[in-house]
Amino acid sequence: MTEVGRARRRKEDARLLTGRTQWTDNLRPPGTLHVAFLRSPMAHARITRVDVSGARGMTGVVAAFCGQDLAAEQGSLPCAWPVTEDIVIPDHPPMAVSEVRYVGEAVACVVATDRYLAADALEAIEVDYEPLPAVVGLEEALAPDSPKVHESGNQAYTMKVTSGDVDAAFRDAPIVIERTYHQQRLIPAAMEPRAVLASTDGDSYTVWTATQIPHVLRVMLALTTGIPEHKIRVIAPDVGGGFGSKLQVTAEEVLCLLLTRRLGRPVKWNESRSEGNLTVHHGRGQVQRVKLAADADGRIRGLRVELLADMGAYLMLLTPGVPLLGASMFNAIYKMDAYEFGCTGVFTTKMPTDAYRGAGRPEATFGIERIMDELAAELKADPLEVRRRNWIRHEEFPYTTISGLTYDSGNYEAATDKAMALFGYDKLRAEQADRRDRGDPVQLGIGVSTYTEMCGLAPSRLLKEARYAAGGWEHGAVRMLPTGKVEVITGTSPHGQGHVTAWSQIAADALGVPFDDITVIHGDTAIAHKGMDTYGSRSLVIGGVAVLQACEKVREKARKLAAHVLECAPDDLEFAGGAFTVRGTDARATIQELAFAAFTAHDLPDGVEARLDSEATYDPGNYSFPHGTHLCAVEVDTETGLTRIRSYVAVDDVGKVVNPLIVEGQVHGGIAQGIGQALFEEAVYDADGNLLTSTLADYLLPSAADLPDFVTDRTETPATGNPLGAKGVGEAGCIASTPAVVNAVVDALRPHGIHDVAMPCTPERVWRALEGARS
């Protein structure tokens, strides 16, 4: 039985679930000091005085610093994605020196022998501020008389791309629909808050941190602080979730490294949940103006998209590029004659935005799937039928879209047909009609989302064209131990995805060794010395392929040794079940026996080294394009505005599946996260730039009690661009679910003349929409 495709329980779970694990917070080297940061209570102000002397004399305090104390060495936090030649990238000091630009920005710190003593000592620090006007709204920020976030103004960049004759597509079009949609800010809430521990050994440094990107972080710490890269070791131990929030080079990581260099002792910082809501980068934050032109039968002629994207106060690692990841996805699975996309990045006095699960693709999918429902309403046609008229048919793959991407494979018809059958689509439509006819106060809404996404953030050549500072390759290595056991070293860095299990399954099949004879090592730049880390659903389709290719190199090395041992030509050998066999004979040698032969090295042929170990770096030629159909039924109480999800069906096509249990878990988590945006979550700022949702009492996350049972299934059209045939699954549920749910809410309310409800569709917002329609 092959391992790939088998529903293996995850190797790592027993240790994680029973607490026999190693989070950054568990680490306490001798002499560890704890740092606490004093954060600005103002969204925008000049710093006129900082006095830390009162803190320095308090019990347990070892040191206290303000931004001016660190100004000469702290550098500027990096932005790796300068999306245009004329982009404005302001300096971003890890600790503010002369001006603060969002509530929560660090202005001083205390280092003490205990984290609580450090926190208490913050109260003794005196800071004088000269208030400056806050800049909160995107449209207001671009007004000529708006206060400036930075001296250069409030516009970070503008970009426009056009394909086809857009003016001709809209000219005399029988149907033109224009809508404005708002993508509210979201606050990532990983199970494990951020944590950093930095220590020094002479002129070398080790940084343990809850990060998704140990390799990228190491490079950026070197560039930011001037410490030579080979003197920095970054370790991501067990990491409890990320969703993009730990795809970052943070102020706290830089400052802990600088403090350990100054003090010569380990320095540790642990984030509180409230501190995290203020200072973890936020997700989304867009105003989308979407305009669609269609023929009288609903065939799409052209699409115009204009985005205002909230950058927040600074450009962090990927901030400006995130909204542009949606530039090629607004056209989604649909054929059209022309397409225009424009984006303006806007500075505001709020926490910076950056990658959050899906990163640009959920926003684009929401915009196109919402306006496809509006087109169906205009035609008085079934939303799925209108989609069928416009999508790429399965026999047309590979297909180059209007935005220039080439989709390698897919079958939207099969996924949709299966979803409709599992959902009972026709029966629910009949019930909906009956409820409408009866004037039932609880209306039934049916939401549709037929999505695709580009994932596997690569290839490097395309990233160069996008002006991204790094490549999209990934590294893998395989070590055959003398006793026949296997160590797989991966450049990807898991934080809940199940890499240890899936990579073991890939290597078990490729090498023919037992699943339990394989261990997977990750997250330590001194051991897994090369990698581009984990984000953008790239781990399996790039990192997994690198592991596969390293296994294939091991096999080829073993073939040469086997030919020598079995006294035959290498081409006479067949490999199956972990053993080389001479064709037509019983002579055989297992790959594990050959590992021991290489170790002893008693009888190696000339030119064969005493090891089978191999490594590979894989850089794909294209993105991968998972797709699927999600259907949602909601019941909306038109008297109270309460929305309840009655049923939810997701049929996804993620190509070849390595482990069905992992896929199901990823889809479940993604759907829950997308429902969170649709119905529950929103980062709210007041006019003065204060975050009103700074705790989990104010920022509403869905619990299991708020969610229905999900019905999930799959179709399978393997990717043609990688040898695994995989397409990626980590973000699919989050991308597809939000428009499915909101389309369902609007569908329930459409008889009342309502064609949009701003997210999150809370009972109050639904009720207000109904009251507005009634009046």
Side-chain angles (χ1 to χ4, degrees), residues 423 428 444 631-635 644-649 708-711:
F423 192 62
L428 283 168
L444 180 65
L631 301 174
C632 177
V634 301
E635 292 180 328
R644 182 181 75 88
I645 297 178
R646 178 168 138 179
S647 60
Y648 195 104
V649 168
D709 289 335
F710 305 136
V711 177

Side-chain angles (χ1 to χ4, degrees), residues 414-496:
T416 301
D417 289 345
K418 180 175 280 193
M420 291 176 70
L422 291 169
F423 192 62
Y425 187 82
D426 294 338
K427 185 177 179 180
L428 283 168
R429 283 293 184 198
E431 180 186 341
Q432 179 185 59
D434 177 63
R435 287 196 186 199
R436 289 179 177 178
D437 291 343
R438 289 188 286 107
D440 192 327
V442 179
Q443 285 291 301
L444 180 65
I446 297 171
V448 174
S449 176
T450 51
Y451 80 99
T452 190
E453 59 155 322
M454 63 174 194
C455 62
L457 190 60
S460 300
R461 292 180 299 278
L462 293 183
L463 293 178
K464 175 187 176 183
E465 293 175 11
R467 302 179 63 86
Y468 183 59
W473 52 266
E474 193 48 79
H475 187 73
V478 174
R479 295 198 291 238
M480 293 294 301
L481 303 181
T483 56
K485 309 305 182 185
V486 180
E487 291 178 338
V488 171
I489 302 94
T490 177
T492 63
S493 186
H495 41 281

Side-chain angles (χ1 to χ4, degrees), residues 159-280:
M159 172 178 280
K160 179 176 283 189
V161 292
T162 303
S163 181
D165 191 335
V166 180
D167 290 337
F170 278 85
R171 190 182 305 123
D172 301 324
I175 298 173
V176 175
I177 301 171
E178 187 168 5
R179 295 287 186 267
T180 298
Y181 301 120
H182 292 265
Q183 288 279 329
Q184 78 270 37
R185 277 175 167 249
L186 301 177
I187 302 176
M191 185 178 293
E192 179 201 17
R194 291 180 298 152
V196 185
L197 169 65
S199 71
T200 180
D201 179 13
D203 63 348
S204 296
Y205 302 88
T206 300
V207 178
W208 293 268
T209 177
T211 184
Q212 298 173 221
I213 53 167
H215 298 90
V216 173
L217 178 60
R218 182 192 191 201
V219 173
M220 292 302 178
L221 286 175
L223 294 174
T224 302
T225 66
I227 298 172
E229 184 183 356
H230 68 294
K231 298 292 185 179
I232 300 174
R233 178 185 184 183
V234 175
I235 302 173
D238 293 311
V239 176
F243 313 114
S245 68
K246 295 168 183 172
L247 168 54
Q248 195 54 263
V249 179
T250 68
E252 294 82 7
E253 287 164 331
V254 172
L255 292 171
C256 283
L257 179 57
L258 296 178
L259 291 171
T260 199
R261 181 168 69 176
R262 279 208 176 201
L263 301 174
R265 290 173 63 180
V267 174
K268 185 176 184 180
W269 172 75
N270 291 87
E271 173 187 78
S272 70
R273 185 64 70 182
S274 297
E275 193 175 23
N277 277 22
L278 283 172
T279 62
V280 168

Side-chain angles (χ1 to χ4, degrees), residues 32-93:
T32 295
L33 301 173
H34 298 262
V35 61
F37 295 100
L38 184 67
R39 300 187 181 277
S40 170
M42 308 190 73
H44 198 194
R46 291 190 183 91
I47 301 171
T48 59
R49 183 178 75 95
V50 182
D51 184 355
V52 299
S53 59
R56 286 174 176 161
M58 295 185 67
T59 301
V61 172
V62 174
F65 302 99
C66 66
Q68 191 63 52
D69 297 326
L70 301 173
E73 58 186 300
Q74 68 176 341
S76 178
L77 293 177
C79 173
W81 206 337
V83 295
T84 64
E85 288 187 8
D86 58 353
I87 187 172
V88 176
I89 303 180
D91 283 343
H92 185 186

